[in-house]
Amino acid sequence: MSKHVLVTGGAGYIGSHACKALKAAGYIPVTFDSFITGWKQAVKFGPLEEGCLTDRARLDEVFAKYQPVAVMHFAALSLVGESMKDPAKYWRGNVLASLTLVEAAVAAGCLDFVFSSTCATYGDQDGVILNEDTPQRPINSYGASKRAIEDILANFGASHGLNSVIFRYFNVAGADPEGEIGEQHIPETHLIPLMLDAIDGRRPALTVFGSDYQTPDGTCIRDYVHVSDLVDAHVLGLQWLEAGKGSQVFCLGSGNGFSVREVVARSREVTNRDVPIIEGDRRAGDAAKLVSGSGRAQDVLGWTPSRSDLSVMIADAWRWHQAGDYEY
Ligand code: UDP
């Protein structure tokens, strides 16, 4: 009998790719989504339950209906800039919502929990290559809210036997290579989709946020990882928990850093089109450099990322971007 997995945010970019990977691995992904930022059309791989994570009664109902073996928790507010302007939104929308979800999971006896955390929990560490043991010192409310959820999971592990696999993502990019799903946010704030918009004229130009960082070309450096590789790690994390191997934290990145200008240059190559650029100010809350130096997911989970080459990620995103489905 197939096992159900409750996927919060299953209608979003990463959550929908996770649902596809879960289905391929023989699970039934149950999407739980508020549709504040998700897309009904992205729910293609299992049942849908609409609801808000702060609604405990609704969560109890869904846990009782499906008796999931595990939770994969993607639903979150994730915009660094917005989090700096409205921290309450992030503490309520991320921390309070996640606390409610964790309490509901524990009450239902669903004790395996896979969580989307972020390299934004590290803050700005002066170019240090980051791994699971690097101290977390977030510099924006988004990162602070995710770190608080990590603490909640650890506390409930100690008190209620909750087992969690925490993934700290670097910059997730690309789209399903089969073109069934891809990235769309409203408002869009992420570098690669905005750049592709500028390339095909949906937007007039890409604004580069700051050229005076302490990096070789002055622009911020990030570590981009393909969404399909990222969700493969989640399936491995789930299997790790199901095997009773206990709580763990893993960084998920490619280990390669690219500056904004390098991403722009690579996009010119991949698309063979010009990228109109405007030089802008820094965006509040941005660290100069975030790059993963961890091989733990490879060594411990046996994760083998295969599409996290920058050109492949841009090409997959570009194919999705050009397809009609992009409008959902
Ligand atoms: N960025 C940029 N212009 C944009 C959007 C992003 O220069 O219109 C930069 C941003 O400052 C960061 C990098 O691109 O250094 C990646 O930003 P994104 O919002 O995609 O992801 P984040 O790093 O915030 O998770």
Side-chain angles (χ1 to χ4, degrees):
M1 200 184 75
S2 291
K3 300 168 187 170
H4 290 93
V5 175
L6 186 67
V7 182
T8 74
Y13 169 45
I14 302 171
S16 61
H17 285 78
C19 287
K20 178 165 177 162
L22 283 166
K23 186 176 180 198
Y27 297 92
I28 302 173
V30 179
T31 290
F32 187 90
D33 207 291
S34 66
F35 293 103
I36 292 171
T37 56
W39 304 93
K40 289 223 161 85
Q41 297 87 330
V43 185
K44 300 180 174 184
F45 310 103
L48 166 65
E49 295 288 341
E50 196 163 342
C52 181
L53 285 175
T54 49
D55 183 348
R56 173 65 192 273
R58 179 79 183 110
L59 280 171
D60 287 346
E61 210 173 85
V62 172
F63 275 106
K65 179 170 172 187
Y66 295 98
Q67 305 195 348
V69 293
V71 175
M72 272 194 195
H73 180 31
F74 296 96
L77 303 163
S78 59
L79 306 182
V80 167
E82 180 187 62
S83 83
M84 297 301 281
K85 295 190 184 109
D86 192 355
K89 184 171 177 183
Y90 278 69
W91 284 86
R92 209 171 283 117
N94 286 351
V95 182
L96 182 60
S98 299
L99 175 61
T100 312
L101 172 66
V102 167
E103 288 187 284
V106 164
C110 179
L111 295 179
D112 287 346
F113 200 102
V114 179
F115 175 55
S116 313
S117 189
T118 168
C119 62
T121 59
Y122 291 116
D124 204 347
Q125 308 242 0
D126 212 14
V128 166
I129 300 296
L130 304 164
N131 66 35
E132 293 80 3
D133 301 320
T134 308
Q136 293 168 291
R137 298 191 208 104
I139 57 167
N140 53 59
S141 307
Y142 165 59
S145 71
K146 288 282 188 172
R147 187 186 59 178
I149 300 163
E150 290 194 17
D151 288 345
I152 290 172
L153 293 173
N155 291 168
F156 275 76
S159 63
H160 290 83
L162 185 73
N163 303 301
S164 58
V165 163
I166 292 172
F167 288 116
R168 293 187 191 139
Y169 305 166
F170 286 70
N171 285 59
V172 188
D176 172 31
E178 289 162 12
E180 284 192 281
I181 39 179
E183 181 168 16
Q184 187 179 3
H185 296 104
I186 294 182
E188 188 54 77
T189 64
H190 293 104
L191 176 63
I192 291 177
L194 286 175
M195 192 176 50
L196 299 180
D197 276 352
I199 289 174
D200 74 3
R202 290 178 205 227
R203 292 173 204 265
L206 173 80
T207 303
V208 174
F209 292 151
S211 315
D212 58 348
Y213 285 95
Q214 291 298 309
T215 59
D217 68 17
T219 64
C220 290
I221 294 175
R222 295 287 180 273
D223 174 337
Y224 296 86
V225 56
H226 197 292
V227 65
S228 296
D229 287 338
L230 184 98
V231 297
D232 285 349
H234 286 63
V235 174
L236 294 170
L238 170 61
Q239 290 165 345
W240 168 274
L241 288 173
E242 283 195 294
K245 295 182 177 173
S247 297
Q248 262 290 5
V249 178
F250 298 101
C251 288
L252 294 180
S254 70
N256 302 309
F258 295 95
S259 72
V260 174
R261 287 202 205 293
E262 286 172 327
V263 175
V264 167
R266 190 69 69 88
S267 301
R268 286 197 176 107
E269 265 172 51
V270 170
T271 64
N272 207 17
R273 303 245 199 124
D274 192 29
V275 186
I277 293 291
I278 295 170
E279 302 288 339
D281 293 335
R282 289 184 178 201
R283 185 175 65 177
D286 269 345
K289 179 175 176 180
L290 293 168
V291 178
S292 167
S294 167
R296 187 186 283 177
Q298 285 92 330
D299 297 343
V300 174
L301 287 179
W303 182 47
T304 47
S306 62
R307 298 192 74 81
S308 293
D309 170 84
L310 185 60
S311 299
V312 173
M313 289 187 275
I314 294 170
D316 283 351
W318 181 231
R319 197 177 321 108
W320 166 254
H321 198 86
Q322 288 182 299
D325 258 9
Y326 175 70
E327 297 298 345
Y328 268 131

